[in-house]
Amino acid sequence: MRDLGLRIVNGSYPENSILPGDAELLERFGVSRTVLREALKTLAAKGLIQPKAKIGTRVLERSNWNLFDPDILVWHFEAGASAAFLSSIVEMRLALEPEAAGLAALRRTEAQLAKLYEWVEEMGSTRESPAHFVHSDLQFHIAIAEASGNPFMRSISALIEVALVTTFTISSPIPNTERHMHSVARHRAIADAIRDRDVVAAKEAMRGVIQDGAERVLAASGTD
């Protein structure tokens, strides 16, 4: 499933093309027909392909793909996400996460607030490696989504994760001490606004964090 999905996302199997027949795929992967069928059924559920009687399995146009699907997001990252795709992720984050932060300012519990500060402290630890920083950052954003009280906000965690991994792979604030502390301060400002139940400040602080990451990626890639 991963091999076929990645080939579809990276364009090896273009939109509207027909996948190789079952016999060829069975020989290539050395699996049973049942396993192949399950893999194809999963890819169909993600909106990538559609089987057609007497024609074969057609790759659907990108507009049919479920871009919120964690696998599809990861495949884009593995294939080398384009600047346009990364910009689209940033736009989605700006559309959703500031609202989540605003709702968290209204609805958070004391326990949820404490968890936010715990993740900020983890991000600020001098022992943090890039991988641990990404994990702490992700958990901070997930905690805000949970504190928003809106279950749909929590469901976008895969989008946030891929955005963060991509951002930190291209340009990490670790081990740059000044950049590291700036990022931590930006996240602490979100937690402070949520603590103060300041909806406007929480939204603005979240926008600042997302835009900071986007600017680092653009600067590192030399894109205006």
Side-chain angles (χ1 to χ4, degrees):
M1 182 194 74
R2 178 186 173 278
D3 184 88
L4 291 173
L6 183 56
R7 286 170 182 262
I8 290 171
V9 169
N10 70 21
S12 296
Y13 295 132
E15 297 170 50
N16 295 311
S17 66
I18 302 299
L19 291 184
D22 286 3
E24 182 178 335
L25 293 176
L26 288 171
E27 182 178 357
R28 179 192 301 173
F29 295 110
V31 296
S32 68
R33 189 172 296 274
T34 299
V35 170
L36 177 62
R37 290 297 183 192
E38 284 300 313
L40 294 176
K41 186 164 69 173
T42 302
L43 292 173
K46 298 176 185 294
L48 293 177
I49 60 174
Q50 183 180 51
K52 287 280 189 180
K54 300 181 180 179
I55 296 177
T57 302
R58 181 170 63 90
V59 177
L60 293 177
E61 294 182 0
R62 190 174 295 266
S63 59
N64 293 287
W65 301 359
N66 176 13
L67 294 178
F68 284 100
D69 182 278
D71 289 328
I72 293 179
L73 285 168
V74 169
W75 293 334
H76 274 90
F77 175 62
E78 292 179 353
S82 66
F85 187 79
L86 294 176
S87 293
S88 295
I89 290 180
V90 170
E91 288 169 359
M92 284 304 301
R93 292 189 68 193
L94 286 171
L96 295 170
E97 289 192 79
E99 189 63 28
L103 290 173
L106 291 173
R107 299 171 177 171
R108 57 84 177 164
T109 64
E110 290 300 319
Q112 289 169 332
L113 182 63
K115 185 60 67 176
L116 287 179
Y117 279 110
E118 284 180 22
W119 289 120
V120 170
E121 291 304 316
E122 284 291 319
M123 291 174 67
S125 171
T126 56
R127 301 185 305 276
E128 284 281 78
S129 67
H132 288 146
F133 189 93
V134 171
H135 174 73
S136 301
D137 197 349
L138 174 63
Q139 294 306 314
F140 177 85
H141 287 272
I142 289 176
I144 288 176
E146 291 176 341
S148 76
N150 185 317
F152 289 98
M153 293 297 184
R154 178 64 178 84
S155 70
I156 66 168
S157 61
L159 181 75
I160 300 171
E161 181 172 13
V162 169
L164 291 177
V165 170
T166 304
T167 298
F168 282 87
T169 299
I170 295 173
S171 175
S172 172
I174 307 291
N176 184 313
T177 303
E178 183 179 349
R179 189 182 290 171
H180 180 194
M181 291 300 100
H182 175 74
S183 182
V184 173
R186 283 284 211 178
H187 285 78
R188 190 182 300 279
I190 299 174
D192 288 345
I194 291 174
R195 176 199 62 200
D196 298 339
R197 300 194 184 277
D198 189 331
V199 174
V200 173
K203 290 182 177 182
E204 284 302 311
M206 179 62 82
R207 288 191 191 96
V209 163
I210 297 170
Q211 289 167 342
D212 270 0
E215 288 169 5
R216 284 207 316 274
V217 169
L218 292 176
S221 60
T223 305
D224 290 331

